[in-house]
Amino acid sequence: MNATSIMLRQPVAEQVPSRGRVAMISLIAAESAIFTIFVVAYIFYIGKSLSGPAPQDVLKAPVLYSICLLSSSVTIHFAGKALRQGKAAVFSRWWFATITLGAIFLFGTAREWQRLIYQEGLTVSTNLFGTTYFSLVGLHAFHVIVGLLCLTLVLIFAVLGHVEPKHEYQVELLSLYWHFVDTVWVVVFTVVYIVGR
Amino acid sequence: MSTNSTTWSAAAGEPRALVDLIHEWVTTVDHKRLGLLYIAYALVFLIVGGIEATVLRLQLIRPHNNLVSPQVFNRMFTMHGTTMIFFVVMPMLFGFANYLIPLMIGARDMAFPRLNAFSFWVTAFGGLLLYFSLVGANGLYGAGNAPDVGWFAYAPLTSQTFSLGHSTDFWILALLVSGFGSIGTAINILATILCMRCPGMSLGKMPLFAWLYLVTAALVVLAISPLTAAQIMLLVDRYLGGHFFDTQAGGSAVIWMHFFWIFGHPEVYVLVLPAFAFASEIIPVFSRKPIFGYSVMVAATVAIGFISMSVWAHHMFTVGMGAGANTFFVLSTMAIAVPTGIKIFNWLATMWGGKIEFKTPMLFCVGFLFQFLIAGLTGIMLSCAPFDWQLGSSYFVVAHFHYVIVGGILFATFAAMYYWFPKMTGRMYSERLGQLHFWLFLIGFHLTFDFMHIPGLLGMPRRIYTYEPGRGWDSWNLIVTVGVFFQAAAILVLFVNLLWSYSRGAHAGGDPWDAWTLEWSVPSPPPTYNFASIPTIRSRRPLWDLKHLDDPDWMYEGTR
């Protein structure tokens, strides 16, 4: 720059957000839009099935499993905190707890689906309730599975001793996704088991 | 592709094996190469989609024509619409975004180069999947060999009952995977613009190009996702026996329309905002004036982004949504004309009093301004629900949205192609051929799409494969089809120009237009790393500052 530029203040370095965070938040926005469409379809079709079974007859709220999933948001938070403080072993324990809680939730979904399909005879093609229920809950379960795969990958790295405090950034991005999966479940639970029943 | 790559190999100074070149292009994660791949891919599909349009128009050139069967006609308009939207305009826009955004904001690449490559190849795969349906869609029933359900694929036409074979499935999957590619690129654009700007480039100092693409990318994230969701539902219906859109089991055909247009209308703005971006860069340079009302342009862009998400059901006035919904969507649709009008006035004000140079890019921009205005005016006519009841699903609507997409978006894209061709290849295009392209295309465009309004007003419905003589449509349809030949000739001139100038054009140098944004500060074509050292900027026109040290822009805008 030439001499005149001294007269004005130099450009201040702007604080830019991290690109991983921006990307994850954008991805979450896109996913939210997908879930919104499925939730709208679910709400729109409540009570529109022409044949049984109806939600109030066959659905039981999976309260315990839901508590498991929601508390996994707490454990992943503690895991990140432990990593920031440099306690690798504590991190692994909290991280493992998160995976276990997520897996228990997934097991709960599997049990519920098994009961609905084999005892109640409700499948995707039975009626509108079946179509919308399995699509919405299945879409969420798919996200839980993807999350669990990613979490397990990190656990393997942690067990092999490759996760260090400098990876806090990557771990934080993954927890962001996991919090999203949990938040979606709050919406799905409300719509499917409270509003729709 | 191999022709494009010679620049790089020539720079390397030694002849390269073809297989090496191909390997280089297939495995590249460089934003400039991916940008060129996107653009080349879009140009190939432009020819394919253009041939389909030509078949449609030849069939309609006179009443009782039987050049193609009704079945083939249905496939042609479905493939034409799907191809042009998803595999021509979208990749073209992403191509320019990829190539130019890092250069304009002073970055060395996109935020996620590998995601970038993944997005391109997924999109490319989507296009191949759509066209693979020509040979692969026969399925068990031997019925249908290309999608024929129309580009918005209304239920229940897409159900197993009415759409036998796999053609519709190819359509669904093609849009699904290319949608993933679009979302990936959009996320990349958002992260690049928000996180990769060079020192000094605050949001308020970005080129308008970057601002418009920021809003476009946000719209892609929020608009393509509903389409993805709807396509998943359609797959559930078709493969798992679901009932989302199955009216026999209590499902709703109208909800598909809602889901599709929740995607479909923001999509129009996804396509047109980049066209605005091109115009906002080109018009100031060829008027030798800075853009008029930068901050208002940004505000109008963001306003368009917001309003565009609440106008979708104006595509559905003829469904019978009831007075309340109709009124809401009439008003929101009319409201979007306000920020769009602000933009048009700002471009005119930029030209006003300027020293305008009518080079090819500027000619196309002026065409864009004029035609986009007309398209907006017929849009306001159609936004009136009672008027739409009369003319919905007629050729008036077809003429209206082709005015937007061809007269607006395609004209702006041609402007961008000529404007940045010297940057991308290092060669100047032939101005004479460029002007010939402009005038031929202008004549063809107006012959086709001006006169297409009239049979629409006279009651000719869209998507009919032939019509009775003596309804007053005959000569209009003849004129419309004649226009196609002019357009085809113009496209031929474009390709000759691109190919000829690529090898024979005069060397362009870094800054042939005496322009002001950062991409012109590097050699043409830019080196792989873009900037030898990352620039620091102090105003919206960094190159102006560099060229006019005695009167730099930041004296006027920098301190605010």
Side-chain angles (χ1 to χ4, degrees):
Chain A
M1 283 281 159
N2 64 328
T4 50
S5 62
I6 306 165
M7 289 167 12
L8 288 165
R9 59 193 162 86
Q10 288 293 321
V12 196
E14 208 193 351
Q15 204 67 41
V16 290
S18 87
R19 50 184 146 169
R21 228 182 143 73
V22 169
M24 187 50 87
I25 290 171
S26 311
L27 180 71
I28 287 174
E31 296 269 26
S32 307
I34 294 181
F35 273 107
T36 305
I37 295 294
F38 274 88
V39 166
V40 166
Y42 193 92
I43 294 174
F44 180 77
Y45 284 134
I46 287 174
K48 293 221 169 67
S49 293
L50 299 184
S51 58
Q56 53 271 24
D57 305 329
V58 293
L59 279 190
K60 294 192 192 98
V63 178
L64 199 62
Y65 293 122
S66 303
I67 291 174
C68 281
L69 186 68
L70 296 187
S71 46
S72 73
S73 256
V74 180
T75 56
I76 203 170
H77 171 74
F78 284 129
K81 206 172 161 188
L83 188 66
R84 270 194 296 280
Q85 293 165 351
K87 300 173 189 161
V90 183
F91 165 77
S92 301
R93 275 202 290 277
W94 281 118
W95 201 259
F96 180 73
T98 309
I99 296 176
T100 314
L101 289 169
I104 293 174
F105 171 81
L106 206 58
F107 174 74
T109 306
R111 282 288 301 274
E112 187 179 22
W113 281 29
Q114 195 202 24
R115 182 177 61 79
L116 288 175
I117 293 169
Y118 289 102
Q119 290 172 24
E120 312 288 354
L122 180 75
T123 65
V124 178
S125 59
T126 309
N127 57 13
L128 263 177
F129 163 57
T131 306
T132 51
Y133 167 83
F134 283 109
S135 307
L136 179 57
V137 175
L139 188 70
H140 178 261
F142 170 75
H143 283 80
V144 175
I145 292 171
V146 171
L148 282 179
L149 288 176
C150 297
L151 293 177
T152 312
L153 203 63
V154 174
L155 185 69
I156 293 171
F157 285 135
V159 169
L160 296 176
H162 292 311
V163 177
E164 291 160 29
K166 68 175 178 189
H167 296 117
E168 180 216 330
Y169 171 60
Q170 284 89 337
V171 166
E172 189 207 315
L173 291 184
L174 203 50
S175 15
L176 212 56
Y177 173 82
W178 192 251
H179 290 315
F180 164 70
V181 171
D182 289 358
T183 313
V184 169
W185 181 250
V186 175
V187 176
V188 173
F189 187 89
T190 312
V191 168
V192 173
Y193 297 99
I194 298 173
V195 178
R197 210 150 54 117
Chain B
M1 270 316 82
S2 58
T3 49
N4 272 351
S5 341
T6 48
T7 331
W8 279 275
S9 58
E14 52 191 60
R16 310 279 294 278
L18 183 64
V19 66
D20 278 355
L21 276 179
I22 293 173
H23 179 261
E24 231 171 65
W25 278 87
V26 170
T27 57
T28 186
V29 292
D30 176 38
H31 73 97
K32 294 180 289 298
R33 288 194 171 193
L34 285 165
L36 291 176
L37 281 172
Y38 264 118
I39 293 171
Y41 172 83
L43 285 174
V44 170
F45 275 107
L46 177 68
I47 297 175
V48 175
I51 291 172
E52 285 156 356
T54 310
V55 171
L56 295 175
R57 283 317 315 174
L58 286 177
Q59 166 66 19
L60 292 173
I61 193 167
R62 61 184 176 88
H64 287 316
N65 198 6
N66 40 28
L67 176 75
V68 292
S69 67
Q71 288 80 14
V72 170
F73 191 84
N74 286 353
R75 287 171 201 146
M76 283 292 156
F77 69 65
T78 305
M79 294 293 266
H80 167 71
T82 309
T83 306
M84 287 300 197
I85 298 289
F86 293 97
F87 301 112
V88 177
V89 183
M90 293 277 280
M92 185 73 89
L93 305 177
F94 284 146
F96 280 103
N98 257 310
Y99 198 100
L100 293 169
I101 286 174
L103 284 168
M104 279 191 173
I105 63 171
R108 287 199 168 125
D109 206 324
M110 298 286 278
F112 304 103
R114 277 176 290 187
L115 174 66
N116 201 7
F118 171 78
S119 302
F120 168 73
W121 289 105
V122 159
T123 306
F125 178 65
L128 295 181
L129 204 55
L130 184 71
Y131 277 87
F132 184 72
S133 66
L134 288 172
V135 289
N138 277 339
L140 287 175
Y141 306 96
N145 60 5
D148 57 357
V149 288
W151 89 280
F152 43 66
Y154 277 174
L157 204 56
T158 48
S159 68
Q160 284 284 14
T161 325
F162 301 110
S163 180
L164 301 173
H166 293 307
S167 59
T168 303
D169 304 315
F170 276 102
W171 180 84
I172 296 171
L173 290 172
L175 265 54
L176 199 61
V177 295
S178 73
F180 292 149
S182 303
I183 292 171
T185 302
I187 289 175
N188 216 339
I189 292 174
L190 284 170
T192 307
I193 295 179
L194 290 177
C195 314
M196 308 279 287
R197 281 165 287 134
C198 66
M201 189 174 280
S202 58
L203 286 175
K205 288 197 173 62
M206 291 197 302
L208 269 180
F209 188 94
W211 258 112
L212 280 142
Y213 266 103
L214 187 69
V215 176
T216 305
L219 273 182
V220 169
V221 163
L222 295 177
I224 303 278
S225 308
L227 177 71
T228 305
Q231 303 283 27
I232 295 172
M233 290 177 183
L234 196 51
L235 279 179
V236 168
D237 270 15
R238 283 181 63 85
Y239 277 100
L240 304 178
H243 305 294
F244 279 113
F245 312 117
D246 175 11
T247 45
Q248 302 286 309
S252 164
V254 174
I255 206 164
W256 166 266
M257 305 170 92
H258 278 292
F259 289 166
F260 187 88
W261 290 117
I262 285 171
F263 146 76
H265 204 83
E267 170 73 5
V268 175
Y269 289 91
V270 167
L271 303 179
V272 85
L273 286 179
F276 293 174
F278 304 152
S280 302
E281 292 302 322
I282 296 169
I283 290 176
V285 168
F286 288 93
S287 305
R288 310 312 302 158
K289 279 176 66 191
I291 188 84
F292 182 89
Y294 176 94
S295 42
V296 179
M297 287 295 251
V298 172
T301 307
V302 177
I304 288 174
F306 274 109
I307 303 174
S308 73
M309 309 230 236
S310 59
V311 298
W312 76 85
H314 66 217
H315 294 265
M316 297 165 56
F317 286 143
T318 48
V319 173
M321 292 182 296
N326 280 352
T327 311
F328 174 82
F329 286 107
V330 166
L331 292 177
S332 62
T333 306
M334 289 182 171
I336 208 163
V338 176
T340 319
I342 289 174
K343 280 181 164 300
I344 297 216
F345 280 118
N346 276 353
W347 287 316
L348 289 178
T350 305
M351 291 164 68
W352 190 264
K355 208 175 136 197
I356 301 177
E357 295 166 28
F358 283 108
K359 298 272 178 54
T360 312
M362 189 59 176
L363 285 175
F364 275 107
C365 276
V366 174
F368 156 81
L369 272 182
F370 173 70
Q371 283 140 205
F372 189 71
L373 176 69
I374 308 265
L377 293 178
T378 51
I380 292 175
M381 290 161 81
L382 287 169
S383 76
C384 238
F387 189 85
D388 189 82
W389 290 336
Q390 175 65 24
L391 288 175
S393 290
S394 79
Y395 260 87
F396 189 83
V397 172
V398 179
H400 158 69
F401 70 73
H402 280 88
Y403 237 94
V404 177
I405 294 174
V406 181
I409 298 165
L410 195 61
F411 266 70
T413 309
F414 285 146
M417 284 169 73
Y418 286 109
Y419 180 65
W420 280 291
F421 181 83
K423 178 50 61 187
M424 293 175 175
T425 63
R427 305 280 190 147
M428 287 306 287
Y429 62 85
S430 152
E431 184 66 35
R432 184 195 289 257
L433 286 179
Q435 306 236 355
L436 179 65
H437 169 205
F438 171 74
W439 289 109
L440 274 177
F441 202 80
L442 190 80
I443 294 168
F445 169 80
H446 284 282
L447 275 180
T448 299
F449 296 110
D450 291 7
F451 292 101
M452 195 182 269
H453 288 89
I454 299 167
L457 287 169
L458 296 175
M460 180 170 166
R462 67 194 286 197
R463 295 181 167 176
I464 51 170
Y465 81 99
T466 192
Y467 50 91
E468 293 287 323
R471 297 198 172 182
W473 306 345
D474 310 11
S475 42
W476 301 118
N477 273 297
L478 178 65
I479 298 171
V480 168
T481 305
V482 167
V484 173
F485 299 115
F486 284 88
Q487 294 184 54
I491 298 289
L492 191 68
V493 173
L494 167 71
F495 275 89
V496 168
N497 197 353
L498 292 183
L499 293 175
W500 183 85
S501 307
Y502 178 76
S503 51
R504 304 276 166 77
H507 287 277
D511 183 16
W513 305 124
D514 191 13
W516 305 307
T517 38
L518 281 178
E519 79 271 27
W520 304 104
S521 69
V522 295
S524 312
T528 324
Y529 48 84
N530 292 355
F531 298 95
S533 62
I534 295 294
T536 303
I537 67 121
R538 304 188 66 181
S539 79
R540 290 168 198 147
R541 299 194 299 166
L543 262 65
W544 171 277
D545 296 355
L546 214 60
K547 292 167 189 166
H548 303 85
L549 290 173
D550 51 327
D551 189 28
D553 265 6
W554 50 259
M555 303 239 307
Y556 311 103
E557 66 179 37
T559 48
R560 263 177 286 159

